[in-house]
Amino acid sequence: MVYIILILGLVILLLGGKFLVDGASAIAIKLGLSAGLIGLTIVAFGTSAPELLVSVNAALKDTSDIAIGNVVGSNIANISLVLGISAILYPIALHLSVLKLDYFFALISAVLFYLIALNQEVSRLEGILLTILLIAVNLYIYKKLKGTNSEESQGDINVNYSSLKAILLILVGVLGLYYGSDLFVDSAVEISRKFGVSERVIGITVIAIGTSLPELTTSVIAAFNKKTDIAIGNILGSNIMNVLGIIGITAIVQPIPVSDQFLKSDFIWMIGLTLLLFPILKSKLNISRIEGGVLLFAYLIYIYTIL
């Protein structure tokens, strides 16, 4: 039965990702916003909902390794696994604004997370600071990107939906991602624990990959539909949301202890892969299939080092 639930969760995730991309794309045009901005805000928030649920629950149950591993592992998976697979399936083009805004804030949030965690705890005060920064970053990006939609982006976005239908699609998509991830993660954790895997390894592998499936699903569908602004915006936006939003809100609910293993290994990988992404994005402002393969290979090396 647990394997059936695992597959059911994945199917719900796939449908949720499609509905969310379709609805967000329609809203982007109706509000005169760029697809990249929608990917960085609405879609990124929707696909980060599973991380929030898992991290808050883990913190309340005193399983902090799962709370931290979920976010760090998800950020690593987003940059290497999700972006790598998406680029292999369809090369991802991006605008210069992605490098100047999305990537910049994703890198800053990763470094800030590491610095805050150096004392081996994320306190309530630091959680409040991260949450305030999330609001400030989104307001800044909204101000910078509002009304910057290009004709090329408009041509790729379906505008046949009414506003009500587009909103309903987003809501159904978010719910699908939420419950699909819940089913998938619960069943995956149950399977993994039978093999005696530690909470840290479960957090940065099974749970992180499970909660990154919405990003993978949404980005792959967006890439297939040639809506690459949403694909890259969704991934970088989710990484920003994971640190500033997920860790911020979780720490407000319950301060999060950070084990030394994360600081010596996983945080370094998270920052290192984020830095690796810069020359890839900067070269020709796209991610080719070969570069996608490099990112995916880097993720496989990371997984090999922790198992």
Side-chain angles (χ1 to χ4, degrees), residues 6 23 56 73 81 87 103 120 156 178 235 239 241 259 278 283 306:
L6 189 76
V56 170
L81 177 68
Y103 175 81
Q120 297 193 323
D156 288 333
Y178 178 88
I235 290 167
N239 277 23
M241 177 67 189
S259 68
F278 180 76
S283 65
I306 63 174

Side-chain angles (χ1 to χ4, degrees), residues 79 83 103 236 273-281 287 295:
I79 292 173
L83 202 53
Y103 175 81
L236 294 176
L273 287 171
T274 306
L275 290 171
L276 173 65
L277 193 57
F278 180 76
I280 292 176
L281 293 178
I287 304 175
L295 290 172

Side-chain angles (χ1 to χ4, degrees), residues 15 17 27 37 42 44 51 65 71 88 95 144 158 169 189 201 206 208 214 234 255:
L15 292 175
I27 291 292
L37 177 58
I42 296 175
E51 281 95 332
D65 278 0
V71 170
I88 289 171
H95 296 293
K144 283 288 184 181
N158 190 334
L169 282 172
V189 169
V201 173
V206 177
N234 168 49

